[in-house]
Amino acid sequence: MTSAHRIRDWALLAALTAMWGTSFMFIKLGVATVPPATLAASRLVIGAVILYVVMRSRGLKLPKPGRGWLPFAALAVIGNNVPFYVISWGQQYIDSALAGILMAMMPLATLLLAHFYVAGERMTAYRALGFSLGFAGIVVLMGPAALAGLGGSLLMLTAQAAVLGGALCYAANSVLVRRLVVTDFLVASTTVLIVSSVVSLPLAIVLDRPWELAPGMGSTAAIVWLGVGPTALATLLYFTLVASAGPTFMSLVNYLTPVVALLAGVTLLGEQPGTTAVAGLGFILLGIALSRRRRAAGPA
């Protein structure tokens, strides 16, 4: 790999990390005046339109109608519709920094699912230890009350569980992508976003009656950016980076995204996650690092 090429890869990684890491901040701004279902539907429609234009500009077409769309429907619901809604709902009640840290559990959950459903991805001692540390980080974040079911704020715990559920959806989606997607990834991503839009729009209409809403300028701008940046542009950067530098280099985003989310929440929104959140993040990042040690040393 040439020096110029490596600089390009690092620039792509930085851009992708910035978009995904700050997305929780923009979601927080969006749900200030726009309900979660409408926010999710809006960003999905914007992202679908942009990716469709890019796909057609490259001479590609959507898959023919039929049973071949069923895998895309599964990916749409699990990878977009459910997590976009539950994360947005949870962020009505918890800080964006905490949401970003909870999402760091995604790669560790992927390890566990891949052990059962992806050939050649068996659980190793390092991966098991990494998952255990990550789980410990979640316990630190959510507190002993999350395990005991007693004390604390039930609403706050439910909101944290909702965001964590979104992370688990992303983990399941990453495993399903490896098993179900056999076509061009740009075509697959565009198709998934179109299906997600078709699913989310009726729900937003029924739940929120969006024509009666009065969104603020800040929320509107945040939602537009969520559709353009973290939903559409980030998808293109993701596949460009994987093709250019490989999935191992791409995995660095798992370490950087929660850190960016924490910094953005603290510096730009004035959030104060406290020492518990920082300690939880430390456990999770250490868990991710340990889970990858065996993979870096040799075949898993």
Side-chain angles (χ1 to χ4, degrees), residues 8 24 34 36 45 59 102 118 124 138 153 166 191 193 200 224 231 239:
R8 175 178 175 270
F24 305 100
V34 176
V45 170
L102 287 167
V118 179
T124 65
I138 295 300
S153 168
T191 307
L193 283 184
S200 63
V224 170
T231 305
F239 291 119

Side-chain angles (χ1 to χ4, degrees), residues 42-57:
S42 299
R43 66 180 292 192
L44 284 167
V45 170
I46 294 171
V49 170
I50 293 174
L51 284 191
Y52 182 77
V53 171
V54 173
M55 182 194 72
R56 295 295 292 145
S57 70

Side-chain angles (χ1 to χ4, degrees), residues 56-283:
R56 295 295 292 145
S57 70
R58 296 185 180 181
L60 301 172
K61 298 180 179 181
L62 293 174
K64 294 181 179 180
R67 294 178 60 85
W69 279 62
L70 291 178
F72 300 119
L75 294 172
V77 173
I78 297 173
N80 286 333
N81 291 118
V82 174
F84 279 17
Y85 177 77
V86 297
I87 292 170
S88 298
W89 181 88
Q91 284 201 241
Q92 294 178 111
Y93 309 106
I94 66 173
D95 288 344
S96 65
L98 179 55
I101 294 172
L102 287 167
M103 288 301 298
M105 192 63 183
M106 189 273 285
L108 295 172
T110 303
L111 285 179
L112 184 61
L113 292 173
H115 171 76
F116 295 103
Y117 299 109
V118 179
E121 292 290 341
R122 306 297 295 175
M123 185 69 71
T124 65
Y126 280 123
R127 290 178 177 179
L129 179 58
F131 180 85
S132 299
L133 283 172
F135 183 79
I138 295 300
V139 172
V140 170
L141 284 173
M142 300 181 71
L147 296 181
L150 300 172
S153 168
L154 178 60
L155 180 60
M156 290 293 291
L157 289 176
T158 304
Q160 293 178 48
V163 175
L164 186 58
L168 297 179
C169 283
Y170 284 140
N173 188 67
S174 67
V175 173
L176 287 175
V177 165
R178 297 171 68 175
R179 294 177 61 91
L180 299 180
V181 175
V182 295
T183 186
D184 180 272
F185 273 104
L186 178 56
V187 173
S189 299
T190 304
T191 307
V192 167
L193 283 184
I194 289 175
V195 175
S196 299
S197 300
V198 172
V199 172
S200 63
L201 277 174
L203 291 175
I205 291 172
V206 171
L207 293 176
D208 299 337
R209 301 173 65 88
W211 58 88
E212 296 180 353
L213 299 176
M217 288 297 296
S219 293
T220 301
I223 293 171
V224 170
W225 170 245
L226 284 169
V228 174
T231 305
L233 183 56
T235 298
L236 298 175
L237 292 182
Y238 172 83
F239 291 119
T240 300
L241 186 58
V242 169
S244 174
T248 300
F249 183 82
M250 171 65 212
S251 69
L252 290 173
V253 76
N254 295 326
Y255 299 91
L256 301 175
T257 296
V259 176
V260 171
L262 177 64
L263 293 176
V266 171
T267 59
L268 299 179
L269 296 183
E271 298 173 350
Q272 297 179 346
T275 57
T276 299
V278 176
L281 175 61
F283 274 114

